Amino acid sequence: MHRDLLNISYSEETISACVRGLGQRLAAEYADKNPIFLGILKGSFVFMSDLIRACDFPLEVRFLTASSYGSSTVTSGNVSVSGAPGTEIAGRHVIIVEDILDTGTTLAKIRDMLSAQNPASLKICAFLDKAECRRADISADYVGFTCPAAFFVGYGLDYAERYRNLPYVGVLKPEVYE
Ligand code: XMP
Ligand code: MG
């Protein structure tokens, strides 16, 4: 385990079993729909790469970039979005792929922006769901793990751009960011 972590919350093996299960659930819904998996960068890129390989049906991948955190562990409330798909998602089945749903501010903004483009359907697949921290009126349709209100890193999740490459997820020691 990395020495900046308090624990390993989700091991590589636990994550891999979880993602396989998500792939099967998505197949039941989307196998004949050629959906667009729309990842929110940067945090979702590791989850996305495992998730699509757990999905044995035709699909497309796109990404957009959202930033709200900077180097803090508390949401700034200011969300900026770039690279958003335009009319190309009209009539398509879209699954937003997110690393972690926290207050929901980021995803609520992205969801409203995408809904305006008239997709055939719009759902959310979040690797982690900090359900107790929710402030915006939003929930994920597919959730890897419901997690407590700690600050997690690894498996794409960063603190100040670090730790994304850890193959597991753990809680960062508070002294690292205090
Ligand atoms: P909101 O509050 O808008 O935030 O739902 C979602 C975004 O905040 C980041 N976030 C985290 N990043 N560990 C991280 O590395 C965490 O525990 C954490 N909680 C929130 C993340 O970028 C997410 O997209
Ligand atoms: Mg981040």
Side-chain angles (χ1 to χ4, degrees), residues 68-90:
S68 72
Y69 263 58
S71 290
S72 163
T73 57
V74 190
T75 192
S76 67
N78 296 318
V79 183
S80 76
V81 177
S82 61
T87 50
E88 72 216 64
I89 66 161

Side-chain angles (χ1 to χ4, degrees), residues 104-124:
T105 315
T106 311
L107 267 198
K109 177 166 175 177
I110 291 169
R111 177 197 55 192
D112 294 349
M113 206 182 65
L114 296 174
S115 298
Q117 309 291 338
N118 299 313
S121 68
L122 184 59
K123 295 220 168 152
I124 295 170

Side-chain angles (χ1 to χ4, degrees), residues 6-60:
L6 283 176
N7 68 336
I8 292 181
S9 310
Y10 308 102
S11 70
E12 224 176 319
E13 294 73 25
T14 306
I15 292 171
S16 143
C18 166
V19 173
R20 269 199 307 278
L22 284 174
Q24 285 161 5
R25 286 180 58 204
L26 288 164
E29 180 68 36
Y30 291 99
D32 55 355
K33 296 196 169 109
N34 189 31
I36 296 175
F37 281 46
L38 181 60
I40 314 300
L41 291 172
K42 296 177 214 165
S44 72
F45 80 103
V46 177
F47 176 44
M48 175 72 99
S49 74
D50 283 346
L51 185 65
I52 59 168
R53 285 176 292 171
C55 290
D56 188 17
F57 55 85
L59 57 86
E60 294 175 22

Side-chain angles (χ1 to χ4, degrees), residues 68-69 75 98-107 130 150-153 157-159:
S68 72
Y69 263 58
T75 192
E98 175 66 307
D99 54 353
I100 185 164
L101 189 50
D102 187 340
T103 65
T105 315
T106 311
L107 267 198
K130 264 190 215 180
F151 194 77
F152 296 93
V153 295
L157 292 155
D158 73 305
Y159 171 66

